[in-house]
Every structure is written in structure tokens, then in C-alpha cells.
């Protein structure tokens, strides 16, 4: 099985304080991996280290089976960082922001072709913003702005999508739209690593969960049931999008 990401004995420290400790993780093609854990447990640091954005003090990272220091195929990866604040004060439209996601693919000097325009159009439609494409991002809700960033990552047609808390503080409609976009991306052969507090409507799309606790992986396997899940009045509302293989899938690993 092809690995998209492999961390072996990874460690990260900030000013001598260990934040990730001897952490090993393999993400395979087709995984939809949720990274769960308390605030400050090291989730963002884990994905930042995986993408070479923070240095490891120990251990190694491979992306697409290439050691990080030799990896150059960045266009294969779409990354949506935590709280990027798209359009804060920037008058760009949804279409312009999403089209920026094609730059790595087409190069800065070549004008966009039909293939670029289609990728941008499809990505905007995938996150349910087709009717807002010409609107300035600043006029959108927080959730719609977050969807714009996700569409920008999708427009680059990555093989791996890495998202840090894509649904935090996002309205229910945007969460549903994102879950749908993720499903389409995964059905097209994409691999996903996402950090989340609450999975909500993403739950049926996620195939595997890693729980980070204090810089180490405390769980790697089926998505854990949140405490009090069945008492949650919203419980039923996650099921209309459940995959055909249903809940039993979690138990087959
Ligand atoms: N660039 C940094 N410099 C110093 N400390 C950091 C830095 N990034 C994160 N930390 C610290 O590392 C710990 C883990 O942070 P983070 O990975 O952001 O956690 P999470 O995403 O799980 O909330 C926290 O204590 C945080 O304050
Ligand atoms: Mg974080």
C-alpha cells in the first residue's frame, strides 16, 4: 500500500520544551484521517511538522515516499491552515481567491486555460458557493470564507488535502457543504488529513482517527464515539450522509 505520509519517531520541541514526542504515523492513499485531541495537545504542530513547516528535533518524515528534505512535489498537497482569515480587508472575489489555488499548477506566467477555469469552477461548486463566485470574500460568512479556502486548496487538484480545524466556528450549512466536498474529493481518489474538535457531519466521511494527547498518539483506529453522543439532540442529523457501509465500517479495522 502506498504511503502518502510517514512520520517515524518524530519529535518537535519549542525552546527546549517537547511538544511532540517519539510520534510515528503512516497515512495511506485513500485514508480520511481525523486528528483529534485537546487544545494544545500538538495537533497543529503534528501537521506542520509533516509539511516541513516546523523542524523535527528527532525522527523523520516522508511525503509520497520521499524524504521531506528531497520532496519537491508540493502541488500534490493542498493545505488549509488553522484560521487563515481569507479576505480580511482584501477585496478579492471568491473566484479570485480560488483561482490562486491554481498558480502552483499552471505557473505564474502562463495565463489560465480552459482546464484551469474548469478546475476553479468545479472547486467552487463542490463547496456549494456557485452562486457567490463573483462576490467579494469579505461579504461572506465565516463559514463561507472557510469554504472558499477549501475550494482554493481543491482547485489545485491535490492528491493530499491537509486541513487544520476546517469546521471550527463554522455554521452548520458550511459544515454540510464541506462534508459533501470532502466526499467528492475522496471518491475521486484523494487522501485527507484533517484536524477537528467535533466531527459533526464529517463523521461518516472519516475512515480513521488519531487522538493526540500531550504530544503522543493515544489512539489510532476507528473514530471514537464522543461521550454522550447518543444523548445529543443532533445525533440523527449526521446520518443522512452516512456511507452505504454504515457504522459497521468502523468495526472492520
Ligand atoms: N511556534 C511555536 N512556538 C512555541 N510554542 C508553540 C509553537 N507552536 C505551538 N506551540 C506550543 O505547542 C503546544 C501545541 O500546540 P499546537 O500544536 O498548536 O496544539 P493544538 O493544535 O493541538 O491545539 C502548545 O503548548 C503551543 O503553545
Ligand atoms: Mg491547532
Amino acid at each position: 500500500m502506498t504511503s502518502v505520509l510517514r512520520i517515524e519517531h518524530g519529535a518537535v520541541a519549542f525552546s527546549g520544551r517537547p511538544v511532540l514526542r517519539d510520534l510515528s504515523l503512516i497515512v495511506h492513499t485513500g485514508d480520511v484521517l481525523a486528528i483529534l485531541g485537546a487544545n494544545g495537545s500538538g495537533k497543529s504542530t503534528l501537521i506542520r511538522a509533516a509539511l516541513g513547516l516546523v523542524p523535527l528535533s528527532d525522527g523523520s518524515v516522508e511525503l509520497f515516499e520521499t524524504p521531506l528534505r528531497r520532496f519537491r512535489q508540493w502541488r500534490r498537497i493542498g493545505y488549509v491552515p488553522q484560521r487563515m482569515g481569507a479576505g480580511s480587508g482584501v477585496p478579492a472575489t471568491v473566484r479570485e481567491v480560488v483561482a490562486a489555488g491554481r498558480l502552483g499548477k499552471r505557473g505564474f506566467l502562463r495565463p489560465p486555460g480552459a482546464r484551469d477555469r474548469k478546475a476553479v469552477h468545479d472547486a467552487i461548486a463542490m463547496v456549494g458557493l456557485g452562486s457567490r463566485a463573483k462576490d467579494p470574500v469579505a461579504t461572506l460568512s465565516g463559514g463561507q470564507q472557510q469554504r472558499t479556502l477549501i475550494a482554493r486548496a481543491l482547485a489545485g487538484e491535490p492528491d493530499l488535502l491537509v486541513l487544520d480545524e476546517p469546521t471550527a466556528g463554522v455554521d452548520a450549512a458550511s459544515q454540510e457543504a464541506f462534508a459533501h466536498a470532502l466526499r467528492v474529493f475522496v471518491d475521486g481518489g484523494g487522501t485527507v488529513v484533517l484536524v477537528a474538535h467535533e466531527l459533526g457531519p464529517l463523521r461518516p466521511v472519516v475512515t480513521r482517527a488519531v487522538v493526540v494527547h500531550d504530544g503522543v498518539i493515544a489512539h489510532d483506529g476507528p473514530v471514537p464515539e464522543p461521550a454522550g453522543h447518543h444523548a445529543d439532540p443532533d445525533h440523527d442529523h449526521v446520518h443522512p450522509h452516512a456511507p452505504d457501509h454504515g457504522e459497521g465500517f468502523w468495526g472492520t479495522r
Side-chain angles (χ1 to χ4, degrees):
M1 218 198 252
T2 324
S3 85
V4 169
L5 166 66
R6 179 187 295 263
I7 303 177
E8 281 185 336
H9 305 294
V12 172
F14 293 114
S15 322
R17 188 171 72 88
V19 168
L20 297 183
R21 295 174 287 142
D22 192 20
L23 186 149
S24 296
L25 174 67
I26 302 179
V27 180
H28 292 106
T29 304
D31 278 353
V32 183
L33 173 67
I35 299 177
L36 311 170
N39 257 336
S41 56
K43 304 180 298 296
S44 294
T45 303
L46 168 57
I47 62 173
R48 288 167 55 76
L51 298 175
L53 298 169
V54 299
L56 292 182
S57 54
D58 208 349
S60 63
V61 173
E62 284 180 14
L63 287 168
F64 297 96
E65 305 188 323
T66 305
L68 189 56
R69 69 181 171 281
R70 286 203 277 110
F71 185 74
R72 298 290 177 271
Q73 300 172 300
W74 292 106
R75 66 190 58 180
R76 297 185 72 180
I77 301 175
Y79 173 46
V80 181
Q82 191 168 1
R83 281 189 304 275
M84 236 183 77
S88 41
V90 181
T93 65
V94 169
R95 185 177 288 147
E96 285 164 347
V97 169
V98 175
R102 289 298 291 180
L103 287 175
K105 203 86 176 171
R106 69 175 165 90
F108 281 88
L109 297 175
R110 194 169 59 73
R115 173 106 199 261
D116 296 310
R117 282 193 295 273
K118 183 177 185 318
V120 170
H121 175 273
D122 289 353
I124 293 171
M126 245 164 102
V127 300
L129 288 178
S131 64
R132 306 298 304 268
K134 292 177 182 158
D135 293 346
V137 170
T139 64
L140 270 51
S141 73
Q144 290 167 334
Q145 291 187 4
Q146 181 70 356
R147 277 195 259 168
T148 303
L149 292 181
I150 291 161
R152 181 174 68 177
L154 289 170
E157 298 177 287
D159 296 317
L160 169 65
L161 195 54
V162 180
L163 309 120
D164 198 345
E165 305 222 18
T167 54
V170 161
D171 55 280
S174 286
Q175 292 199 26
E176 296 282 354
F178 173 52
H180 169 76
L182 215 54
R183 163 74 65 207
V184 174
F185 176 72
V186 169
D187 286 349
T191 303
V192 179
V193 174
L194 62 90
V195 174
H197 257 288
E198 293 275 323
L199 288 178
L202 302 184
R203 194 178 175 81
V205 191
V206 169
T207 61
R208 174 182 163 202
V210 156
V211 178
V212 180
H213 178 71
D214 206 7
V216 301
I217 290 180
H219 166 91
D220 183 350
V223 180
E225 284 287 326
H229 180 64
H230 289 282
D232 179 353
D234 282 335
H235 173 63
D236 285 340
H237 133 131
V238 303
H239 289 288
H241 297 275
D244 292 335
H245 38 255
E247 300 274 325
F249 184 70
W250 310 124
T252 60
R253 278 184 49 96

